[in-house]
Amino acid sequence: MYPFLHPDNAAKVSIRFIDIVNDPSTSSNFKQILSLCGFVIVTDVLSAEEIATAQEYWAKDLQCIMDIEASKDKILAASVYQDPVHTWPSKVPLGQPVEFGLAQGQLAWYIRRNSNIRHCFEIVHDTEHLCVGTDSIMFSREPPPKLRKSWGHVDYHRDLIHHECFQSIVYLMDTEEESSTTVVWPGSHLSHFDTVMEANAPRLFSTIPASMVPEYEANAVRLKIPKGAMVLWNSKLVHQGHNWGRRLAVPVCFEPSVLRTREVLQLKQELVENGMSGTHWAAIFHTHAKTRAKGNKPKELQRDVGPFRLHHRAHLHLLDESGFLKDDYAALL
Ligand SMILES: O=C(O)CCC(=O)C(=O)O
């Protein structure tokens, strides 16, 4: 179990969003922390009202995929429908990445369109011309039966990508002792990246070699991220998820649109139109192995998951009457 980053050190890597906006020296400090530590926590990127709205969108997304009448346990389904965010049963897994159109649901797009989050990436990339990624949603309520063994990795390969990439996760619930959260190895994007690359064939998910695991386990820390904050990191940083308990969070990545080709744009648009999830990349078309195995399309439009019947339809709010992606969403990709 990784310890939490000590509060004194957490304070050194945390910056309030408002200070980034109002104070040019904080904005350069933000970039400096990111460049030295490989990650930074931006607090209060969302207001209390925006957090509440985001949680409401997630409730609507979950309600939208439920079919109470066709569910084996109608009574449980009707009861969960009242407050799905806080009562969703762990015996109804939503998939990893989330299925049923949820990666393109109302919550995902509410967060992707938030101007404060976008602003942080504008600073990092030094441009306002950005395109957004299409990644999943992180939602869990209870610890799984077993904690996954450490899986420190970088989301990058130097033989495949030649620009810097930064990814983030926006937290919509506070991190507590028994929460799922992000684990990072501070500074490893500088100190260990080359060794990780040497150990991996070119792929965008590169795990650390076995020989590095003891050092990783001794130095990696869990991050305590308050709701409304985001952790932003360099994709070369060794990190992983600590999936152990409650979390509602949205991965967000913006990259300069100049790096995204027309072909990638088209593939991203089709993916979103089909309600599927990409990995974090915004300028590159890349999907999770499980999604690729399905040809990047939904396998079934409805499925019984435990006692619930669920439909693949949380993404339908994005489509016009002809079933095409609405222009204002397509333009952000
Ligand atoms: O679950 C997390 O916080 C980190 C997930 C992760 O490893 C990733 O997004 O690459």
Side-chain angles (χ1 to χ4, degrees), residues 138-154:
M138 289 160 166
F139 177 56
S140 52
R141 293 195 52 251
E142 285 155 20
K146 218 171 144 214
L147 184 63
R148 184 173 167 184
K149 263 178 54 194
S150 68
W151 52 292
H153 66 280
V154 305

Side-chain angles (χ1 to χ4, degrees), residues 34-35 121 124-125 155-156 161-167 189-190 193 233-237 253-256 259 280-281 283-284:
L34 188 56
S35 111
F121 282 91
V124 166
H125 289 296
D155 291 301
Y156 199 91
I161 304 288
H162 304 291
H163 64 269
E164 290 281 29
C165 181
F166 300 89
Q167 51 197 111
H189 62 307
L190 301 174
F193 173 70
W233 72 92
N234 185 319
S235 299
K236 295 177 179 170
L237 185 76
C253 170
F254 285 93
E255 292 188 272
L259 299 171
H280 72 276
W281 295 95
I284 306 290

Side-chain angles (χ1 to χ4, degrees), residues 6-22:
H6 190 280
D8 293 348
N9 293 333
K12 290 184 192 144
V13 292
S14 299
I15 288 195
R16 286 194 317 162
F17 177 75
I18 190 76
D19 296 333
I20 296 180
V21 175
N22 289 341

Side-chain angles (χ1 to χ4, degrees), residues 138 151 153 155 167 169 171 181-182 233 239-241 247:
M138 289 160 166
W151 52 292
H153 66 280
D155 291 301
Q167 51 197 111
I169 300 182
Y171 277 69
T181 189
T182 309
W233 72 92
H239 67 281
Q240 68 167 83
R247 172 160 65 166

